[in-house]
Amino acid sequence: MSAYEQWNKLNPSEKLAIAQYPALGTAVPVAKDKAFAETVKRFGHQGRNDNSDAFRHCYWSALLTRDVGFLAAYAFTTAHEDVPSNPPAEKEMDLHNNMQGMVIGIRHKGSSDDQILSDACFSALAAGKLKVISP
């Protein structure tokens, strides 16, 4: 998918976040691809409102926070959930899991090892720190 096509798929709040933090323009798709691949590796699928979804949001947010900082990651991940069709319970779940990932990203700011972030998110899930609607 071209950069133009990716841009056109963003909601207005996501576009504003990228305008405020241009590094997100390259960091978001890279983190998304890593999060999707790692989720399939760990769970075998991309679920919705389940453990795999909670993990994916945590890991994506951890990667973004480590790579572009908390403020930029917070701006984009919050904007990503800012769509009228997003059911309130799903939005709450995703925002919670994003924040858990941002905390992990802050803790591991200097690490270049993606596996450390993945393991930390998986541990957070196992410890009950991530929210799920339907396990």
Side-chain angles (χ1 to χ4, degrees):
M1 181 181 313
S2 74
Y4 180 77
E5 290 169 321
Q6 289 177 8
W7 177 260
N8 283 333
K9 288 184 137 195
L10 298 175
N11 70 46
S13 296
E14 290 171 322
K15 290 177 181 178
L16 180 59
I18 291 174
Q20 292 173 318
Y21 302 99
L24 287 167
T26 54
V28 167
V30 169
K32 175 188 169 267
D33 290 346
K34 287 180 181 181
F36 272 73
E38 187 68 10
T39 301
V40 169
K41 180 179 157 189
R42 286 196 182 256
F43 296 90
H45 69 282
Q46 300 288 339
R48 182 169 177 181
N49 300 325
D50 65 358
N51 289 333
S52 70
D53 189 11
F55 170 84
R56 183 177 59 250
H57 276 267
C58 180
Y59 186 51
W60 175 59
S61 298
L63 290 165
L64 283 177
T65 302
R66 182 199 62 193
D67 296 344
V68 297
F70 173 79
L71 292 177
Y74 180 80
F76 192 85
T77 59
T78 302
H80 183 70
E81 302 304 329
D82 187 24
V83 290
S85 61
N86 196 1
E90 290 183 26
K91 181 176 181 177
E92 179 185 334
M93 175 188 150
D94 293 345
L95 290 172
H96 173 84
N97 295 331
N98 291 345
M99 185 57 69
Q100 294 300 309
M102 286 181 260
V103 169
I104 290 167
I106 289 168
R107 286 187 185 139
H108 300 284
K109 184 74 175 154
S111 174
S112 62
D113 187 349
D114 294 349
Q115 195 62 46
I116 290 172
L117 299 177
S118 175
D119 290 345
C121 287
F122 195 76
S123 293
L125 177 65
K129 293 180 181 177
L130 302 185
K131 283 189 178 184
V132 296
I133 294 173
S134 53

